[in-house]
Amino acid sequence: QVHLVESGGGLVQAGGSLRLSCAASGDTICISTMGWYRQAPGKERELVATIDRYSATAYADSLKDRFTISRDNAKNTVYLQMNSLKPEDTAVYHCNAEGPDPYSCAGIMAPFNIWGQGTQVTVSS
């Protein structure tokens, strides 16, 4: 019942910035944690950052100085602000939602792990 749509990707030069958006719909009250992951061609998917319902965040160690994850609860949207982009940041970025949250989500709900369709980020040198 949770659906995710990413947007904001594009082509930027090294040193530039992008802000990705992930809009959640459906049973958003049942989401416990949302996050951003990325996958470059020939590479395995890697964690970028996560944020939970109480705005606690976690980052990949190599990215925490350049990337910031945030959320707008009123809009059910999570953002990833990416600064000082490097060519190595080129990847498809996917939004993820996990749940249910046992405190906020009433009733019985099966565990879920939902992925968006992805948005391409390309950083040129």
Side-chain angles (χ1 to χ4, degrees):
Q1 288 295 327
V2 175
H3 306 280
L4 306 174
V5 178
E6 303 103 326
S7 62
L11 174 64
V12 298
Q13 289 185 316
S17 298
L18 282 175
R19 189 177 75 160
L20 307 183
S21 299
C22 176
S25 60
D27 296 329
T28 58
I29 194 173
C30 292
I31 298 172
S32 61
T33 303
M34 296 184 66
W36 287 96
Y37 297 74
R38 68 184 186 183
Q39 187 168 27
K43 304 287 187 178
E44 63 184 18
R45 181 174 290 173
E46 65 175 342
L47 169 71
V48 175
T50 63
I51 185 168
D52 70 10
R53 293 191 62 86
Y54 313 103
S55 297
T57 59
Y59 296 88
D61 288 340
S62 62
L63 302 178
K64 62 177 59 178
D65 60 330
R66 297 187 294 119
F67 291 9
T68 302
I69 190 170
S70 62
R71 67 190 306 157
D72 184 337
N73 292 331
K75 296 183 179 296
N76 293 316
T77 300
V78 171
Y79 305 95
L80 182 68
Q81 179 67 46
M82 305 185 293
N83 298 323
S84 301
L85 284 164
K86 306 174 181 179
E88 64 193 77
D89 296 318
T90 295
V92 176
Y93 285 70
H94 290 269
C95 183
N96 168 264
E98 299 178 348
D101 179 79
Y103 180 79
S104 61
C105 186
I108 299 175
M109 189 176 192
F112 61 86
N113 190 319
I114 305 298
W115 296 88
Q117 83 286 353
T119 185
Q120 176 71 47
V121 172
T122 303
V123 184
S124 62
S125 61

